[in-house]
């Protein structure tokens, strides 16, 4: 596991001062991963290789103890696992759009504590609808959104909210907290760390905390795509490390995390799709494919069904001005059946409406 700011802070807590300085000095001394520190040599020999005055020997031993605990796999008894799964099932908050068929498609994944990929041009609208509907129906809950590519539109959120009804409608936008992150991967890691600190304080400072149930991470393609190369593994390692961190974050704070993703061309077709005419796929390459618990792919119906397909002919009959027909498909999932799909309509590229074939 590569050493980074978030991992060290979470493992060391407040035991050390400037963590960035420690990481830099360890890296300069040749210790770039936790394995380098833990297994390369004896603690005494490793300490002698560090810059003089970086830390005392007792502090170094404490660092090793913290890293060992942080990097080790947790062990649970089968009874603990059963109790956890029972609690997860009882605590499902849903995550519905309000459209029956779409909610049935989402029903196997929207209550999990894990990472769900929403890929496609209207994934932002899907995520906004789910969050705002949840906040409208649950006035004691909050949600978070990390805006990585300026894809959070508050005017569109207000329009969607205006169509909803519930006891929490008046304060829904106030309880949807947006974190702006437009710089780089380091900024993204810092945003996640500060969000975790805020969630920690929420539980510590309040007898009845405003429960955060959903987190949306906006499209990260501009952060990771430039470094995803066949000539270097660094970009793939950074993406994998962040997604593992995001998965742990979801488990630790009992969140459903939606990660928004762009699409790219797939030649000759998308092998994971049930539709032979699907010629696009989620972006961020094969590395990203299996780093989420579920991938939900949203595509325009015109790009999914063949030109002479009977289903497409019937869908076109239902299209009117301002309405576009889309298809949501589960490409892969650890929690429900893959290749399941359903059509829905989007009015004015903002409002999700049901479509009966």
């Amino acid at each position: 596991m590569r050493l980074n700011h978030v991992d060290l802070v979470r493992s060391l807590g407040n035991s050390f001062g400037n963590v960035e300085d420690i990481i830099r000095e360890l890296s300069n001394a040749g210790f770039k991963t936790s394995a380098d520190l833990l297994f390369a040599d004896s603690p005494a020999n490793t300490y002698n290789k560090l810059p003089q005055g970086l830390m005392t020997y007792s502090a170094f031993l404490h660092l090793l103890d913290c890293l060992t605990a942080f990097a080790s796999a947790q062990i649970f008894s089968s009874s603990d696992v059963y109790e956890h799964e029972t609690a997860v099932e009882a605590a499902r908050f849903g995550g519905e759009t309000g459209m029956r068929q779409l909610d049935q498609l989402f029903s196997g994944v929207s209550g999990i504590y894990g990472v769900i990929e929403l890929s496609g041009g209207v994934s932002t609208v899907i995520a906004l609808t789910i969050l705002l509907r949840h906040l409208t129906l649950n006035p004691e809950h909050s949600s978070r959104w990390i805006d990585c590519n300026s894809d959070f539109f508050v005017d569109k959120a207000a329009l969607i909210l205006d169509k909803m009804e519930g006891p929490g409608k008046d304060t829904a936008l106030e309880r949807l907290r947006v974190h702006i992150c437009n710089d780089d991967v380091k900024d993204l890691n810092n945003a996640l760390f500060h969000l975790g600190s805020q969630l920690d304080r929420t539980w510590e400072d309040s007898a009845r905390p405003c429960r955060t149930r959903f987190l949306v991470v906006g499209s990260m393609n501009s952060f990771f795509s430039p470094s995803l190369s066949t000539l270097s593994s660094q970009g793939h390692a950074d993406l994998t490390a962040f997604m593992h961190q995001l998965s742990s974050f979801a488990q630790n704070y009992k969140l459903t995390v939606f990660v928004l993703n762009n699409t790219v061309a797939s030649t000759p077709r998308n092998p994971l799709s049930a539709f032979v005419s699907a010629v696009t796929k989620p972006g961020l390459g094969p590395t990203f494919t299996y780093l989420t618990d579920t991938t939900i792919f949203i595509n325009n119906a015109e790009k999914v069904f063949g030109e002479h397909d009977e289903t497409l002919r019937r869908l076109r009959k239902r299209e009117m001005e301002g309405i576009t027909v889309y298809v949501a498909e589960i490409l892969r999932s650890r929690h429900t059946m893959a290749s399941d799909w359903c059509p829905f309509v989007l009015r004015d590229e903002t409002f999700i409406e049901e479509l009966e074939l």
Side-chain angles (χ1 to χ4, degrees):
M1 180 177 64
R2 194 172 185 85
L3 293 173
N4 61 62
H5 178 271
V6 175
D7 290 344
L8 277 184
V9 170
R10 289 204 176 281
S11 59
L12 299 178
N14 298 320
S15 302
F16 290 84
N18 193 326
V19 175
E20 291 289 355
D21 289 343
I22 294 176
I23 294 176
R24 183 174 59 255
E25 294 295 342
L26 290 174
S27 179
N28 292 338
F31 302 104
K32 300 182 183 298
T33 68
S34 55
D36 293 337
L37 281 174
L38 295 174
F39 308 118
D41 207 336
S42 66
N45 289 339
T46 300
Y47 178 75
N48 289 332
K49 298 175 184 178
L50 299 181
Q52 188 173 5
L54 178 62
M55 64 182 74
T56 64
Y57 185 62
S58 60
F60 177 70
L61 292 179
H62 176 61
L63 183 148
L64 294 184
D65 289 340
C66 291
L67 274 180
T68 301
F70 182 80
S72 301
Q74 291 181 289
I75 300 176
F76 302 96
S77 68
S78 57
S79 60
D80 290 336
V81 174
Y82 175 76
E83 290 180 4
H84 172 73
E85 291 300 322
T86 303
V88 169
E89 186 65 30
R92 284 186 184 272
F93 292 108
E96 296 83 7
T97 63
M99 302 300 109
R100 180 177 56 84
Q101 284 186 315
L102 205 53
D103 290 345
Q104 287 178 351
L105 185 74
F106 281 32
S107 62
V109 299
S110 59
I112 67 167
Y113 299 145
V115 181
I116 300 173
E117 174 190 359
L118 292 178
S119 183
V122 296
S123 55
T124 299
V125 175
I126 298 287
L128 267 177
T129 301
I130 291 175
L131 264 62
L132 290 173
R133 190 168 189 270
H134 177 75
L135 294 174
T136 299
L137 297 176
N138 299 273
E140 73 282 8
H141 291 177
S142 66
S143 294
R144 305 299 178 105
W145 190 298
I146 298 179
D147 187 8
C148 301
N149 199 33
S150 300
D151 50 11
F152 178 84
F153 304 106
V154 67
D155 54 343
K156 184 165 289 191
L159 289 173
I160 295 173
L161 181 63
D162 189 55
K163 298 285 186 180
M164 297 180 176
E165 295 295 336
K169 179 177 179 177
D170 292 341
T171 60
L173 287 179
E174 180 183 341
R175 288 177 285 115
L176 175 55
R177 316 286 174 79
V178 181
H179 305 254
I180 306 299
C181 179
N182 290 325
D183 293 333
D184 51 25
V185 178
K186 180 180 177 181
D187 193 26
L188 187 59
N189 280 313
N190 288 338
L192 198 62
F193 167 70
H194 290 304
L195 175 57
S197 299
Q198 291 175 12
L199 294 179
D200 288 336
R201 288 196 299 270
T202 298
W203 284 101
E204 291 172 359
D205 298 344
S206 176
R208 297 185 61 187
C210 186
R211 175 69 188 273
T212 298
R213 182 64 187 88
F214 291 102
L215 166 65
V216 174
V217 180
S219 174
M220 307 177 297
N221 300 65
S222 60
F223 291 170
F224 290 104
S225 292
S227 61
L228 295 178
S229 167
T230 56
L231 302 178
S232 172
S233 62
Q234 184 59 55
H236 302 275
D238 290 340
L239 177 60
T240 301
F242 176 76
M243 291 305 297
H244 286 170
Q245 180 181 310
L246 198 60
S247 180
S248 298
F249 192 88
Q251 294 292 330
N252 292 338
Y253 292 104
K254 304 295 183 290
L255 301 173
T256 296
V257 179
F258 291 109
V259 175
L260 309 186
N261 194 3
N262 297 339
T263 60
V264 295
S266 179
T267 305
R269 61 176 295 268
N270 184 345
L272 294 179
S273 176
F275 302 99
V276 295
S277 300
V279 293
T280 56
K281 62 182 180 180
L284 293 176
T287 299
F288 188 72
T289 302
Y290 300 100
L291 294 178
T292 59
D293 296 291
T294 298
T295 296
I296 299 176
F297 193 54
I298 301 118
N299 214 337
N300 191 301
E302 297 277 350
K303 299 179 180 180
V304 167
F305 298 102
E307 181 63 28
H308 303 291
D309 193 286
E310 175 64 19
T311 304
L312 181 59
R313 186 185 65 80
R314 284 184 288 167
L315 289 175
R316 281 173 171 169
K317 284 185 177 181
R318 287 160 171 77
E319 286 193 346
M320 297 179 291
E321 185 177 354
I323 286 182
T324 307
V325 180
Y326 288 90
V327 173
E329 179 187 9
I330 296 180
L331 292 187
R332 48 163 298 279
S333 178
R334 297 189 179 111
H335 304 282
T336 190
M337 183 179 297
S339 299
D340 199 5
W341 60 275
C342 78
F344 65 95
V345 300
L346 202 62
R347 184 183 297 276
D348 300 326
E349 294 298 306
T350 303
F351 307 107
I352 299 174
E353 298 181 359
E354 196 161 350
L355 174 66
E356 294 286 352
L357 290 176

